């Protein structure tokens, strides 16, 4: 069978939620670039006009109307022979739809409405959208293609219908959030669907950070045998162009087909840009996700500089390195706040870190303030033994200092708590939890060590002693994290089993863990929901993060038993 040479482009763009005009301008820029390469069809991510996820902006009728007006204006500027597929919010009566417009020669020639609406994990689409029911196909000369959206590719029925209507190529547009290992899951599903329906699949994904979510891009084209022909870069905007061999469609037209053009002219084309993409290790992948998520949260929310409390420990050191890579050293300020329990080694390590990173370091002792607190509270604490209250006073003083600097200079406070601490509540409310963005909130402690080693492999910045000394909050004499928590090598697998995999205590213990240790950890997790509910947003990098994924009631009388 003679095939038709088709040049397609997957525009992996970083859209900003709510910036309708800015997103439209970016779409138009990518269209103009694609025209320069003689592209026939270009696809953009899911809800490219509005950004994803727009959440309750969708409940504002004017927001929906404005997005439609922006799309119509954009379509008038898409001239020539190029066909553009653009995600937007469609409306009919009181219903709104997650939709894709197919634009050709200055007109919206057809619209596909997402059929399968995800309502699990971070997704909440049934709150807003009505599912679509039609499955149009589009004819460009003898080439017949169809469009579907994100979740549709994970189900058989949308593709089966479109293939039965003659589609040979599917443009699947996405806003698929990242977590470690997600790209392998996607590729397996896409390849299986391509093989099952004998279709070429062009998978376009969003890239960029949006609050807790990071979109990793990694758009791809897969042939009808399930082979990946090309893949776009991870965590970067990318115009990926591919030449594919499209089987011609049957001459007969059906009621489901929308004719874009009766002819398809072979164009004189420039050479394709080089597409060299390396596969990332887990550490590289997660590190790049954190850098992108941090950069976009800071920049898209109008901040220029961030401030971090440096303790001399590994978490604050890692967050500082991330911030420098995301924002530049001139935009990162470290603050070292010693107390009577702070070791000399911690000050040396914090100073060395700041010097290695090239960031400004402020030293503000909390000792005088701490004495005043103790004196003020002494008449009220009389007769009570010293306990965690006196420890947490120090953390809260530090939180107040950082927030004062934030208020004074407009710096965003980055907290430094990791997932192991957030899970067990090993953090001080209004203390080390105080801030604007919790960068490593979803990163387990053991992974923090691995990622920090990875960062040092790119260029030594984090002092070696930070890796080797025992983790400690330094809020009382000779304190170590292991006084309160199991060793992190034991704790993190228990937390993963309970928080991310929803395993029962008996099953967790049967995996080789002490039953008392399991019971203690689970009690800490269950008793700390009120803290997590008040913590800043943080970047999701695991399959189940606190907040968007795991939504537990604070007042909760249920406790799992064996």
């Amino acid at each position: 069978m003679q095939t038709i040479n088709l040049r397609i482009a997957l525009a992996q763009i970083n859209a900003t939620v709510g910036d309708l005009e800015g997103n439209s301008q970016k779409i138009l820029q990518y269209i103009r670039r694609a025209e320069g390469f003689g592209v026939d069809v270009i696809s953009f991510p899911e809800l490219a006009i509005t950004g994803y996820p727009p959440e309750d902006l969708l409940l504002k009728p004017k927001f929906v109307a404005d997005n439609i007006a922006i799309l119509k204006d954009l379509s008038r500027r898409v001239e020539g022979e190029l066909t553009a597929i653009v995600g937007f919010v469609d409306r009919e009566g009181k219903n709104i739809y997650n939709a894709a417009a197919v634009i050709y020669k200055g007109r919206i020639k057809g619209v596909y409405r997402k059929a399968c609406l995800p309502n699990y994990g971070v997704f909440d689409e049934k709150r807003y959208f009505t599912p679509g029911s039609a499955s149009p196909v589009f004819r460009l000369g003898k080439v017949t293609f169809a469009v579907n959206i994100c979740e549709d590719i994970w189900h058989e029925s949308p593709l089966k219908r479109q293939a039965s209507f003659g589609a040979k190529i599917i443009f699947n547009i996405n806003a698929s959030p990242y977590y470690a290992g997600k790209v392998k899951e996607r590729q397996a599903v896409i390849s299986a669907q391509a093989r099952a329906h004998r279709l070429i699949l062009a998978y376009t994904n969003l890239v960029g950070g949006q609050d807790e979510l990071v979109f990793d891009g990694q758009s791809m084209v897969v042939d009808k045998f399930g082979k990946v022909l090309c893949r776009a870069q991870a965590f970067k905007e990318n115009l990926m162009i591919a030449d594919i061999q499209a089987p011609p469609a049957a001459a007969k037209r059906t009621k489901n087909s929308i004719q874009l053009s009766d002819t398809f002219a072979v164009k004189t084309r420039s050479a394709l840009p080089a597409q060299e993409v390396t596969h990332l290790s887990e550490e590289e992948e997660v590190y790049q996700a954190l850098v992108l998520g941090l950069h976009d949260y800071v920049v898209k929310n109008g901040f220029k500089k961030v401030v971090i409390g440096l303790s001399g420990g590994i978490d604050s050191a890692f967050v500082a390195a991330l911030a420098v890579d995301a924002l530049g050293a001139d935009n990162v300020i470290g603050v070292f706040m010693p107390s009577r329990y702070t070791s000399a080694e911690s000050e040396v390590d914090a100073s060395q870190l700041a010097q290695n990173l090239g960031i400004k370091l402020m030293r503000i002792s909390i000792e005088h303030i701490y004495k005043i607190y103790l004196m003020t509270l002494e008449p009220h604490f009389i007769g009570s033994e010293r306990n965690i209250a006196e420890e947490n006073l120090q953390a809260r003083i530090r939180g107040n200092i950082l927030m004062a600097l934030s208020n004074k200079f407009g710096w965003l406070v980055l907290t430094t708590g990791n997932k192991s601490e957030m899970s067990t509540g090993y953090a001080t409310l209004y203390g080390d939890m105080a801030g604007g963005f919790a960068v490593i909130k979803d990163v387990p402690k053991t992974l923090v060590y691995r990622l920090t080693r990875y960062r040092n492999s790119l260029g030594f910045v984090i002092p070696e002693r930070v890796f080797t000394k025992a983790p400690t909050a330094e809020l009382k004499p000779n304190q170590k994290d292991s006084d309160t928590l199991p060793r992190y090598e034991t704790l993190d697998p228990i937390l993963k089993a309970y928080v991310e995999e929803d395993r029962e205590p008996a099953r967790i213990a049967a995996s080789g863990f002490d039953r008392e240790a399991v019971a203690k950890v689970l009690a800490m997790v269950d008793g700390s929901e009120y803290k997590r509910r008040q913590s800043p947003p943080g970047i999701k990098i695991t399959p189940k993060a606190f907040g968007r994924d795991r939504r537990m009631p604070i007042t909760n009388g249920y406790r799992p038993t064996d």
Side-chain angles (χ1 to χ4, degrees), residues 388-419:
I388 197 170
E390 285 82 4
E391 295 177 35
N392 287 345
L393 280 176
Q394 299 162 77
R396 294 192 173 110
I397 292 167
R398 291 179 174 124
N400 268 313
I401 289 172
L402 291 174
M403 290 308 302
L405 294 170
S406 174
N407 290 161
K408 193 68 171 177
F409 302 112
W411 303 336
L412 178 70
V413 177
L414 302 183
T415 68
T416 62
N418 57 63
K419 189 170 189 175

Side-chain angles (χ1 to χ4, degrees), residues 193-205:
Q193 293 282 40
R195 287 193 301 270
H197 301 287
R198 307 292 284 180
L199 295 165
I200 297 171
L201 288 176
Y203 176 97
T204 308
N205 194 24

Side-chain angles (χ1 to χ4, degrees), residues 13-28:
I13 66 170
N14 187 339
T16 299
V17 166
D19 186 8
L20 306 179
E21 183 62 39
N23 294 338
S24 174
Q25 289 299 319
K26 180 170 286 191
I27 291 167
L28 189 61

Side-chain angles (χ1 to χ4, degrees), residues 522-535:
L522 269 54
M524 295 177 79
V525 173
D526 292 339
S528 301
E529 188 60 37
Y530 75 100
K531 285 189 179 182
R532 290 188 290 270
R533 196 72 67 90
Q534 299 178 71
S535 66

Side-chain angles (χ1 to χ4, degrees), residues 480-493:
K480 295 181 178 61
D481 290 4
S482 56
D483 299 337
T484 304
L485 302 172
R487 292 178 59 84
Y488 288 109
E489 294 80 2
T490 300
L491 175 64
D492 283 354

